[in-house]
Amino acid sequence: MAFLFQMSSRSTIFVLTLLIVFSMSLFSLASAISASVQHFKPPTNFEGCPNVFPRGYRYAKVSDTHTLWRNGEACGKHYKVTCTAKVDRGASPCIEGDPSIIVTVAGRCRDCPADILMTEKSFAKVVKKKITHNLKFDLEE
């Protein structure tokens, strides 16, 4: 810390800003969890979130066996879903650029084939082609 006091105030602010940004990026990486994601065709039956009404296409259901569900605490929460799959039969299934979308949890899914079920349109925003196997996703609240 003595080093910071010997620098000019402009340099000190710059160094502190870098430290804060670096710390925030570490927190962001630490808070992401991996999950399996598939899609469904609306309309569908939603249960478990009586006060959440899906609008548009950016919504999802969470498996009632996944830790995100937490007895309904996930209802109404927004999650950034990012495709992180590297290779599927020689090519990445993730879209180029930013393969992420923010979805709202609008219900739970019993006997789900995945941890998260997104609408087909949401799924298409992060994945190039209709692939539902060997995909890896990170979730951030």
Side-chain angles (χ1 to χ4, degrees), residues 82-102:
T82 304
C83 180
T84 58
K86 299 298 180 204
V87 175
D88 184 74
R89 297 185 187 136
S92 174
C94 303
I95 63 163
E96 294 175 15
D98 181 18
S100 300
I101 189 167
I102 295 175

